């Protein structure tokens, strides 16, 4: 009863949100009145004009980001590379913020441009999955509101028949103006193909390119070309498996996806909850002893492993000497470092059988893990791995090379 009374006085949250967005809808209508007087070429030229405004407001940051990344790529000093990495991250954050600000600024005019384009397509024949259809759609105000919410990264719930397919064209067009790609993730191949062709008439009318990854074979140039389009449609499984495959390639040129910028997930409850319960699993061939590449790298790995084994033996001997002299703290550091380097080292396993050594290493491990969660300038053990060539994680069945090991 109290909830009902509150809603009568203040309105529902949905009603308040719609009321808050109405000024933006009125701005869209205001731009439409001006756009209706433009010629067809002038309307199609809106896309180039929008992109020029984006470049004007974000071009300097984009260029700076490219220069920092190039400097990082050419840098060989690990400390300097780390500083350049941090600088690149800071500039990228500024660039994304500037890009978001200009897109928010362009939203009313960009949405009005899409709406005017749909109005001019009325009555024209369009081909969709081999069938000829007559274009008869212009976004209503409720669809404009849905598009605004999707641009802002929120969930827009719409009933069947309320035009979700058309709603998505508004934020997709706006975010594709950034030139970084915009994705529409849907639940089945038919919808991906149909919507890319159907809504593609709007995008192409306004000078954008559109592709569908489900029309191409994985790992091909055609698949890569679909991702290079301004707007890309596809199913959640294909997007997911392409991501996994891209992390298994031996050359960056073999990747098909580019950096992820903006995506709309259709049937979000199904994709992110129901289907997410089934993991995407992928496997690939591994090398064997007959491969020339295996032979070349195996020698380097053996040499690296032999050098680290020698250092582990020295560390264990140093740890035993420190224990005998009563210096448990430094002994724990030496022993734990040896365990990081080679947990199955015979000399280390023998030392662990001595009274109190295992407990000493375990206590050091807890201190080390807690220390890694502190800010870098407070880390007491931050240099613990600096002398390593690689670190083994028995529980996770992983090994990673340090900068020195690389």
């Amino acid at each position: 009863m109290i909830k009902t009374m509150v809603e009568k006085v203040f309105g529902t949250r949905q009603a308040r949100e719609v009321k808050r967005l109405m000024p933006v809808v009125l701005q869209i209508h205001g731009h439409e009145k001006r756009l209706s007087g433009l010629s067809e070429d002038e309307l199609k030229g809106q896309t180039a004009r929008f992109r020029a405004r984006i470049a004007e407001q974000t071009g300097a940051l984009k260029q700076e980001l490219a220069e920092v990344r190039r400097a990082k790529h050419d840098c060989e000093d690990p400390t300097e590379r780390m500083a350049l990495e941090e600088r690149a991250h800071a500039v990228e954050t500024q660039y994304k913020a500037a890009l978001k600000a200009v897109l928010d600024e362009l939203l009313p005019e960009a949405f009005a441009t899409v709406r005017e384009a749909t109005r001019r397509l009325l009555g024209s024949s369009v081909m969709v999955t081999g069938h000829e259809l007559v274009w008869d759609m212009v976004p209503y105000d409720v669809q404009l509101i849905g598009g605004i919410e999707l641009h802002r990264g929120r969930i827009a719930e719409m009933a069947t028949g309320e035009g979700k397919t058309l709603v998505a064209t508004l934020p997709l067009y706006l975010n594709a103006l950034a030139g970084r790609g915009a994705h529409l993730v849907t639940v089945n191949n038919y919808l991906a193909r149909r919507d890319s062709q159907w809504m593609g008439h709007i995008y192409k009318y306004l000078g954008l390119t559109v592709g569908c990854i489900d029309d191409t074979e994985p790992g091909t140039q055609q698949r890569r070309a679909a991702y290079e389009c301004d707007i890309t449609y596809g199913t959640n499984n294909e997007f997911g498996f392409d991501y996994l495959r891209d992390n298994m390639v031996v050359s960056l040129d073999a990747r098909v996806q580019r950096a992820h910028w903006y995506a709309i997930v259709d049937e979000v409850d199904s994709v992110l909850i129901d289907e997410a319960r089934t993991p995407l699993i992928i496997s690939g061939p591994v090398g064997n002893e007959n491969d020339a590449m295996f032979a070349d790298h195996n020698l380097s790995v053996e040499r690296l492993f032999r050098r680290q084994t020698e250092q582990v033996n020295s560390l264990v001997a140093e740890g035993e000497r420190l224990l005998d002299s009563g210096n448990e703290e430094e002994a724990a550091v030496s022993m734990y470092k040896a365990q990081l380097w080679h947990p199955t080292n015979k000399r280390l396993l023998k030392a662990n059988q001595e009274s109190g050594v295992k407990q000493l290493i375990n206590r050091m491990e807890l201190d080390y893990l807690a220390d890694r969660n502190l800010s870098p300038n407070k880390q007491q053990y931050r240099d613990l791995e600096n002398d390593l060539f690689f670190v083994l994680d028995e529980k996770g069945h992983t090994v990673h090379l340090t900068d020195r090991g690389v």
Side-chain angles (χ1 to χ4, degrees):
M1 185 175 68
I2 294 174
K3 181 182 177 182
T4 304
M5 291 175 61
V6 171
E7 288 180 351
K8 284 183 179 180
V9 176
F10 298 102
T12 63
R13 181 180 178 184
Q14 179 179 345
R16 294 195 302 272
E17 183 69 14
V18 170
K19 184 178 179 180
R20 190 174 64 84
L21 294 176
M22 284 311 297
V24 183
V25 174
L26 294 176
Q27 289 180 47
I28 296 172
H29 290 319
H31 285 292
E32 276 187 87
K33 293 178 181 178
R34 178 181 57 83
L35 294 172
S36 62
L38 297 182
S39 66
E40 189 167 341
D41 288 340
E42 288 174 328
L43 181 64
K44 292 178 178 180
Q46 284 284 97
T47 299
R49 195 171 70 83
F50 290 146
R51 284 183 159 170
R53 285 176 59 182
I54 292 172
E56 181 182 352
Q57 297 188 38
T58 65
L61 285 170
K62 184 178 181 180
Q63 183 178 353
E64 183 182 357
L65 179 60
E67 291 173 353
V68 174
R69 284 176 171 170
R70 186 161 50 248
K72 177 198 166 193
H73 180 271
D74 297 336
C75 179
E76 296 183 358
D77 180 65
T79 304
E80 189 177 347
R81 276 178 61 88
M82 182 66 70
L84 288 169
E85 173 67 26
E86 293 176 356
R87 176 61 183 157
H89 179 72
V91 175
E92 185 174 21
T93 301
Q94 294 174 359
Y95 171 59
K96 287 182 177 179
L99 202 51
K100 180 182 181 301
V102 69
L103 289 178
D104 288 344
E105 179 184 318
L106 289 173
L107 186 149
E109 191 174 357
F111 276 33
T113 300
V114 173
R115 199 176 193 199
E116 180 62 22
T118 61
R119 184 174 287 110
R120 298 195 184 192
L121 286 171
L122 286 173
S124 62
S125 297
V126 295
M127 292 299 296
V128 181
T129 61
H131 302 283
E132 188 174 347
L133 299 177
V134 176
W135 186 271
D136 60 353
M137 296 181 291
V138 177
Y140 293 104
D141 286 356
V142 66
Q143 292 171 312
L144 296 177
I145 291 172
I148 296 169
E149 293 292 83
L150 289 175
H151 168 68
R152 295 179 177 179
R154 297 178 176 179
I155 295 174
E157 183 178 5
M158 303 184 73
T160 303
E162 286 188 338
K164 293 181 291 182
T165 304
L166 185 62
V167 169
T169 62
L170 300 158
L172 282 175
Y173 172 76
L174 174 63
N175 285 274
L177 294 172
R180 303 185 65 177
H183 297 162
L184 192 290
V185 185
T186 189
V187 290
N188 62 60
N189 303 48
Y190 171 74
L191 288 177
R193 293 189 175 98
R194 184 201 70 179
D195 293 353
S196 65
Q197 296 176 27
W198 198 8
M199 300 300 110
H201 290 88
I202 302 174
Y203 308 132
K204 292 173 183 176
Y205 181 90
L206 293 172
L208 296 183
T209 56
V210 58
C212 177
I213 60 174
D214 289 71
D215 287 335
T216 63
E217 292 296 322
T220 61
Q221 286 300 317
Q222 292 78 9
R223 176 65 62 96
R224 183 169 187 154
Y227 278 110
E228 291 296 323
C229 289
D230 294 311
I231 296 170
T232 305
Y233 283 76
T235 53
N236 55 310
N237 281 341
E238 287 300 314
F239 279 116
F241 278 120
D242 280 340
Y243 176 80
L244 296 178
R245 280 187 284 262
D246 278 358
N247 280 276
M248 297 173 66
V249 298
V250 295
S251 168
L252 292 178
D253 295 336
R255 289 182 173 180
V256 295
Q257 290 187 348
R258 51 175 166 166
H260 304 118
W261 164 244
Y262 177 80
I264 294 175
V265 183
D266 186 22
E267 303 289 352
V268 66
D269 52 344
S270 174
V271 172
L272 297 187
I273 299 176
D274 300 334
E275 296 201 24
R277 294 173 181 170
T278 304
L280 301 181
I281 300 174
I282 193 169
S283 62
V286 296
N288 58 67
E289 295 182 9
N290 297 323
D291 292 337
M293 188 178 292
F294 176 87
D296 290 341
H297 290 296
N298 189 45
L299 293 174
S300 301
V301 172
E302 285 182 352
R303 186 163 56 250
L304 200 67
F305 185 80
R306 186 166 56 251
R307 289 181 64 185
Q308 185 145 302
T309 300
E310 292 171 358
Q311 288 189 325
V312 169
N313 290 334
S314 298
L315 280 170
V316 175
E318 177 68 10
E320 290 173 337
R321 185 187 66 78
L322 290 168
L323 276 176
D324 291 339
S325 64
N327 192 341
E328 290 191 356
E329 185 175 347
E330 291 188 18
V333 173
S334 293
M335 289 293 193
Y336 180 63
K337 190 182 287 188
Q339 180 167 292
L340 279 176
W341 291 10
H342 192 183
T344 57
N345 179 273
K346 292 181 179 179
R347 187 162 184 174
L348 177 64
L349 293 175
K350 184 177 179 181
N352 281 343
Q353 295 176 2
E354 298 293 330
S355 176
V357 173
K358 185 66 176 177
Q359 290 79 4
L360 201 65
I361 295 176
N362 288 340
R363 190 165 64 249
M364 180 64 200
E365 180 177 21
L366 292 175
D367 291 343
Y368 173 70
L369 293 176
D371 185 67
R372 289 178 64 181
N373 294 325
L374 298 175
S375 59
N377 60 336
K378 293 183 179 178
Q379 286 183 355
Q380 181 181 359
Y381 307 116
R382 62 182 180 275
D383 298 329
L384 199 62
E385 297 181 7
N386 284 0
D387 297 331
L388 308 180
F389 294 115
F390 56 85
V391 176
L392 290 170
D393 179 6
E394 278 192 303
K395 295 179 181 178
H397 300 286
T398 60
V399 55
H400 75 263
L401 289 172
T402 63
D403 287 340
R404 188 183 179 197
V406 173

